[in-house]
Amino acid sequence: MARTRRPSDGRMPLLEHLLELRKRFVLIGAGLLLGAIAGWILYEPLLVALQQPLERASELTGNDVTLNFTGPASALDLKVKAALFLAVFVSCPWWLYQVWAFITPGLNKREKYYAYGFVGASVPLFLGGAYMAWVVIPHAVQILTGFLPDNATNFTDAQMYLSLVMRLLLAFGLAFVSPVLLVGLNFAGLMSAKALLAGWRWAILVAFTFAAVMTPTPDALTMILVALPICLLYFAAAGVAVLHDKRVERRLAAAEI
């Protein structure tokens, strides 16, 4: 199929942009489907891993904390959710690359190599954010189950608990990737380094609000420990954007000579 010719400034026409969006969604969906198949196969070890915070809390408090399936279809529903959850992690290099490829379609051949750097930075950040959530969850479960009376048994709803754990892991992973997405917007010419630096107060407010909402414990220390890395990543993204904008300015100045 013949592609619409792009304007001289490298920008994509609206129709081509929409076709590109559809293409990336299809590719992301295909990757998630393959990841979901792997998640379906690996459901049992995943379930064991997600139950570890409950087992640790049970050991520390001396109370029985167990998962409870409330309906005949709840186990199947949970298996489907767990498969989709694992699909996001298994296919994260693939869909992160597709996001970058959609944000920066107008880059020249040399700049497109930055896609590999984007994926190389995004994958460990995504997994690092998920790991931070994994560290916070046992602490939260321990605090919440610590209010149980002695020798009590807590029947935790499996759907509610595992959905909460999976949402936290994904939310923290995406929060850690967001500064890299800002770099992608800067490379695409959609956001300047000046705008990033001007919005630092809002970035800090959003980071601490996110930490306050997403951390299940009420202590301020956990909130600060979660928000600080997000703030540092934001300023690192702004620094990369400053260097990129200066390079673009030098290139444009050289072209005018």
Side-chain angles (χ1 to χ4, degrees):
M1 182 178 68
R3 297 178 63 88
T4 306
R5 187 175 181 181
R6 295 183 182 179
S8 58
D9 62 358
R11 295 180 181 178
M12 298 176 66
L14 178 59
L15 178 59
E16 188 176 351
H17 203 69
L18 293 175
L19 292 174
E20 183 74 11
L21 178 62
R22 185 183 66 178
K23 172 186 173 183
R24 298 303 169 186
F25 269 123
V26 170
L27 291 173
I28 290 174
L32 290 175
L33 178 61
L34 293 176
I37 295 173
W40 184 273
I41 297 172
L42 299 174
Y43 170 69
E44 292 296 336
L46 176 63
L47 184 62
V48 172
L50 294 177
Q51 290 184 84
Q52 287 182 2
L54 288 179
E55 294 175 356
R56 293 176 192 170
S58 182
E59 293 173 359
L60 291 172
T61 61
N63 296 317
D64 292 329
V65 183
T66 58
L67 288 182
N68 182 37
F69 292 86
T70 57
S74 60
L76 176 60
D77 185 36
L78 184 60
K79 188 172 183 177
V80 173
K81 289 181 179 179
L84 294 175
F85 163 76
L86 191 60
V88 175
F89 279 85
V90 171
S91 64
C92 67
W94 175 252
W95 58 260
L96 285 170
Y97 174 80
Q98 300 304 325
V99 170
W100 172 268
F102 173 72
I103 292 176
T104 57
L107 296 183
N108 58 43
K109 184 176 180 181
R110 178 188 174 188
E111 289 174 327
K112 284 184 178 180
Y113 285 107
Y114 293 143
Y116 299 107
F118 171 82
V119 175
S122 298
V123 171
L125 285 174
F126 179 76
L127 297 178
Y131 177 76
M132 172 164 284
W134 186 252
V135 172
V136 170
I137 289 168
H139 177 61
V141 172
Q142 179 186 349
I143 291 177
L144 296 175
T145 56
F147 293 99
L148 289 172
D150 293 337
N151 300 319
T153 300
N154 180 280
F155 293 102
T156 302
D157 182 78
Q159 286 275 7
M160 182 184 67
Y161 167 73
L162 294 177
S163 295
L164 173 63
V165 171
M166 291 185 288
R167 282 199 304 269
L168 285 175
L169 293 173
L170 291 176
F172 274 75
L174 293 175
F176 273 57
V177 170
S178 58
V180 187
L181 294 178
L182 294 177
V183 172
L185 293 174
N186 173 258
F187 275 48
L190 301 176
M191 181 175 292
S192 65
K194 184 177 180 181
L196 284 174
L197 293 173
W200 68 270
R201 294 179 180 84
W202 285 105
I204 292 177
L205 177 62
V206 170
F208 275 87
T209 302
F210 171 83
V213 172
M214 296 305 297
T215 51
T217 55
D219 59 297
L221 179 60
T222 302
M223 180 186 70
I224 294 173
L225 291 176
V226 170
L228 280 181
I230 300 176
C231 294
L232 292 176
L233 289 171
Y234 177 87
F235 285 108
V240 173
V242 168
L243 295 176
H244 177 258
D245 284 1
K246 288 183 177 180
R247 185 167 62 250
V248 171
E249 289 174 3
R250 288 195 299 267
R251 188 170 59 202
L252 293 176
E256 293 176 356
I257 298 176

